[in-house]
Amino acid sequence: MEKRFDTTLLEEMLSASMRPLLIGHFNPDGDSVGSLAGMYHYLRERGMTPSAVLPSPYPDYLAFLIGEDTPVTIHSHEDNSARELISSADLLICFDFNRLSRTEQLEEDILASKVPKVLIDHHPFPEVEYFDLVYSEIEVSSSCELLFWVLMSMSDVEGDVSSLGLKCAESLYVGMMTDTNNFYNSVSASTFEMASLLTDAGVDKTRLQECVYNNYSVDRMRLMGHLLKDCLYVIEDCGVAYLLLSDADKRLYNFAIGDSEGFVNLPLSIKGIRISALFSELDKGQDKYIRVSLRSKGDLDVNRFASLYCNGGGHLNAAGGRLYMPFEKVGPYIEKSFREFLKIG
Ligand SMILES: [Mn+2]
């Protein structure tokens, strides 16, 4: 249950560092923001002054983890501050991604940096060659859980959860909670143990659930209703169901970043459905593509499907990718692809 890690090298790197920089992935989710914020607060508790960057904005429902006391620099085309932070840092710690390309426009800057690099991640096949120290476990629920057990192994923590500080503890809890879809997938004994230790140490799980899951707009609720009623497609003989979220519908329902969170899981509650997908049209000038999210049950490998048909990857039961085609072609393309992938009809 309890996991132990060798933290000798990490502790050496941290004590040698004056300007550590924490980096999350593009389209940051709860796990990426949670692990970044968790490490941030842990280092602050120890008198260090870390910085943090994200390649793109985070959803509103995570704002409570990143208050004024956790300054995070968000990269944008117009502003070079994230790039400057990368070039001036003396240690880079990356969270919740296995490929540097997940940092999008910051990838080049990270590659150009010659300082020690650490990766803390739970996706398969991480690009270990770019890092000096890698904590990678794919059996673990989330990067937050992995970071939790790494921190618990640190010589200044030695298994004492209260020494992490409440903000660190809350951040790690939120990342684990969101990546497991509120304890629904990828949960093992060590995940429950982590949750139990964190709640014992004062984490208010009800408050965190309220902040994350009961904080949506009316528009988001109506958009979900519209999607389920008018934009849900079922390929019955394949056990596949998918949702098509167009840019026009997003505009109609005042879509905000994070509003489609959880939508992809909805079709999985239909009897007989074992794979679900969400295709979300993005139409922002030059960044025009269709964002793909995939979920599956059992041994159906959507990581493989994403890499074969959707220019992406992820985990066995949760993956993502991108399609470059007119939105109206997605339905026929995906039905054909699933038939080929599952060898049906
Ligand atoms: Mn994750």
Side-chain angles (χ1 to χ4, degrees):
M1 277 199 283
E2 184 187 322
K3 291 174 181 283
R4 296 290 298 180
F5 290 92
D6 184 350
T7 56
T8 322
L9 184 54
L10 178 59
E11 291 183 49
E12 276 171 27
M13 286 173 164
L14 287 172
S15 12
S17 170
M18 298 295 289
R19 294 179 309 281
L21 178 67
L22 316 177
I23 304 174
H25 61 68
F26 189 76
N27 279 332
D29 60 358
D31 195 24
S32 195
V33 172
S35 45
L36 179 141
M39 192 62 159
Y40 181 90
H41 293 301
Y42 169 80
L43 296 176
R44 286 300 297 244
E45 284 274 319
R46 267 128 200 96
M48 295 182 71
T49 46
S51 305
V53 299
L54 287 171
S56 67
Y58 53 84
D60 235 15
Y61 72 91
L62 294 171
F64 76 102
L65 291 181
I66 305 184
E68 278 167 25
D69 56 344
T70 322
V72 174
T73 303
I74 297 174
H75 175 66
S76 74
H77 290 289
E78 303 81 43
D79 179 6
N80 258 338
S81 356
R83 307 196 116 119
E84 281 159 16
L85 280 171
I86 294 173
S87 60
S88 64
D90 61 8
L91 173 66
L92 303 183
I93 310 181
C94 299
F95 298 96
D96 198 39
F97 58 83
N98 54 350
R99 288 172 285 126
L100 274 186
S101 61
R102 294 283 286 125
T103 61
E104 295 281 321
Q105 274 100 31
L106 300 179
E107 180 182 9
E108 297 280 303
D109 305 82
I110 298 171
L111 276 171
S113 163
K114 297 287 168 258
V115 305
K117 300 184 188 76
V118 180
L119 176 67
I120 298 175
D121 177 54
H122 68 130
H123 296 84
F125 312 115
E127 290 173 338
V128 291
E129 63 273 26
Y130 297 127
F131 295 90
D132 303 280
L133 173 62
V134 173
Y135 291 103
S136 163
E137 290 225 345
I138 59 166
E139 301 302 323
V140 85
S141 67
S142 51
S143 296
C144 277
E145 184 185 333
L146 181 55
L147 175 59
F148 172 78
W149 292 115
V150 169
L151 292 182
M152 295 298 280
S153 309
M154 301 284 269
S155 58
D156 60 347
V157 176
E158 279 192 328
D160 174 15
V161 189
S162 61
S163 80
L164 295 177
L166 189 60
K167 284 182 173 171
C168 170
E170 287 184 338
S171 306
L172 297 178
Y173 191 95
V174 166
M176 175 273 289
M177 176 179 82
T178 53
D179 243 29
T180 59
N181 189 16
N182 209 4
F183 295 89
Y184 194 83
N185 5 307
S186 318
V187 177
S188 63
S190 65
T191 320
F192 286 116
E193 178 156 18
M194 166 190 178
S196 156
L197 289 167
L198 287 174
T199 45
D200 265 357
V203 166
D204 181 347
K205 74 167 187 55
T206 311
R207 185 180 81 84
L208 299 180
Q209 277 169 328
E210 280 296 308
C211 287
V212 172
Y213 295 112
N214 297 340
N215 224 347
Y216 289 115
S217 64
V218 176
D219 279 331
R220 189 259 186 186
M221 187 61 85
R222 295 200 195 285
L223 171 63
M224 184 160 79
H226 166 63
L227 270 186
L228 290 177
K229 179 171 167 290
D230 301 319
C231 313
L232 169 70
Y233 301 86
V234 179
I235 322 172
E236 254 174 76
D237 57 337
C238 295
V240 171
Y242 61 93
L243 295 161
L244 292 178
L245 172 54
S246 71
D247 195 55
D249 280 342
K250 286 186 186 172
R251 271 182 273 125
L252 198 58
Y253 291 93
N254 303 309
F255 189 86
I257 296 172
D259 272 0
S260 58
E261 201 65 45
F263 285 178
V264 66
N265 297 307
L266 297 170
L268 282 180
S269 59
I270 302 170
K271 186 177 179 180
I273 295 303
R274 299 206 299 146
I275 297 182
S276 72
L278 169 70
F279 300 93
S280 177
E281 185 183 22
L282 289 169
D283 195 357
K284 284 188 292 181
Q286 44 175 280
D287 293 335
K288 195 175 162 71
Y289 61 89
I290 293 147
R291 191 175 163 194
V292 183
S293 306
L294 295 151
R295 297 291 182 273
S296 67
K297 294 180 184 173
D299 57 4
L300 286 169
D301 188 354
V302 285
N303 177 29
R304 202 171 127 70
F305 183 84
S307 70
L308 285 175
Y309 299 97
C310 302
N311 310 295
H315 309 275
L316 175 72
N317 295 129
R322 289 177 184 188
L323 291 176
Y324 304 90
M325 61 177 66
F327 194 58
E328 57 278 9
K329 298 249 163 87
V330 172
Y333 171 76
I334 218 65
E335 299 217 14
K336 185 172 157 283
S337 306
F338 272 121
R339 285 190 187 285
E340 194 177 288
F341 183 69
L342 300 165
K343 299 185 177 64
I344 293 173

